[in-house]
Amino acid sequence: PCQRPDLVLGLKPHADGTGYTIILQDEVGLQVLKDGKWYTVPRNPTALLVLMGDQMEIMSNGIFKSPVHRVV
């Protein structure tokens, strides 16, 4: 457990259960997990980032993967 949860911002690692997640990055901090390593997604304030969710992974029979990601 965090000793000072009032000072922590972010989201724990997760994959979205939806079909798609559309993100407008207004801050740096989004990371994705690939091969056991966390990579920071470059911030582009003029673009939308689209993540495939668990439903799309199921419907595509695993062709499209639902990425595990977090915000730090």
Side-chain angles (χ1 to χ4, degrees), residues 2-68:
C2 179
Q3 298 296 322
R4 294 289 313 269
D6 57 316
L7 299 177
V8 177
L9 298 175
L11 292 172
K12 65 181 183 170
H14 67 282
D16 297 329
T18 60
Y20 298 99
T21 300
I22 301 173
I23 300 171
L24 174 62
Q25 291 179 270
D26 56 350
E27 298 288 333
V28 176
L30 178 64
Q31 294 183 331
V32 293
L33 183 64
K34 181 173 171 59
D35 299 327
K37 184 176 177 185
W38 288 102
Y39 294 91
T40 300
V41 177
R43 180 180 170 268
N44 184 343
T46 62
L48 295 174
L49 177 67
V50 179
L51 297 176
M52 304 300 264
D54 292 342
Q55 290 180 10
M56 289 306 294
E57 184 172 345
I58 292 166
M59 290 192 300
S60 71
N61 200 25
I63 293 172
F64 298 109
K65 301 295 184 191
S66 178
V68 175

